[in-house]
Amino acid sequence: MEMANCLRCKKVFPKIIDPICDECKKKDEELFAAVRRYLEENPSSTVQRLSEETGASAKKILAWLREGRLEIAQATGDLRCGHCGESIATGRFCEACFIELSRQIDGITGRKPAEKENAPSKKGVVMHTKNRKS
Ligand SMILES: [Zn+2]
Ligand SMILES: [Zn+2]
């Protein structure tokens, strides 16, 4: 098994997936639970306030917000849309950009080359029979 130094506490541990050891991971989860609890009671807290009250670093809280694990009731300016820079409460993008971006992704996946080739030929057949009838 591959051994590695924990990124957090430098302890040597058997590295499986995470770059931090189980102990640090557990500490992270405890911090996360504390932040979430505080946020439930104070939904419009800023990241800075959350950090001060729970001891979790602002960087960590921002990462949780980006992952969508935490949600601040109001956009406080701590987190910004990765597309337009709008202040947002959770995730990576504001709602408008999220809709726009998912529409673009749908457009890309929906436009398969095979379908594109079939569509005009089908249309051609329909047109052809129509022309014959009239
Ligand atoms: Zn560790
Ligand atoms: Zn945006």
Side-chain angles (χ1 to χ4, degrees):
M1 192 175 281
E2 193 191 339
M3 300 299 280
N5 283 90
C6 170
L7 276 187
R8 204 67 55 70
C9 68
K10 308 293 176 209
K11 194 179 80 178
V12 176
F13 75 110
K15 188 180 176 215
I16 300 166
I17 300 166
D18 295 304
I20 58 172
C21 70
D22 280 350
E23 247 170 78
C24 290
K25 227 189 298 175
K26 210 175 140 206
K27 264 184 224 160
D28 259 18
E29 289 308 312
E30 278 165 14
L31 269 180
F32 176 74
V35 172
R36 199 174 51 184
R37 219 164 26 233
Y38 186 82
L39 203 51
E40 268 166 24
E41 284 158 25
N42 311 276
S44 52
S45 312
T46 60
V47 168
Q48 199 195 339
R49 175 143 191 93
L50 281 170
S51 173
E52 282 165 8
E53 293 293 331
T54 62
S57 71
K59 204 176 145 194
K60 203 175 280 179
I61 295 169
L62 279 173
W64 286 329
L65 286 169
R66 267 192 215 103
E67 286 166 16
R69 292 179 74 190
L70 286 178
E71 190 169 345
I72 292 180
Q74 289 164 11
T76 53
D78 294 304
L79 199 65
R80 298 203 173 264
C81 170
H83 195 67
C84 70
E86 185 77 40
S87 177
I88 53 174
T90 187
R92 287 177 184 278
F93 302 109
C94 70
E95 209 171 315
C97 288
F98 184 78
I99 291 167
E100 180 57 33
L101 289 170
S102 39
R103 200 179 290 152
Q104 282 177 19
I105 292 162
D106 279 353
I108 292 159
T109 52
R111 224 182 293 137
K112 283 176 197 159
E115 281 173 29
K116 210 178 176 184
E117 272 170 35
N118 284 344
S121 65
K122 250 185 217 162
K123 216 179 197 175
V125 170
V126 172
M127 292 265 289
H128 198 77
T129 50
K130 234 185 195 173
N131 286 346
R132 251 192 218 166
K133 266 183 195 168
S134 61

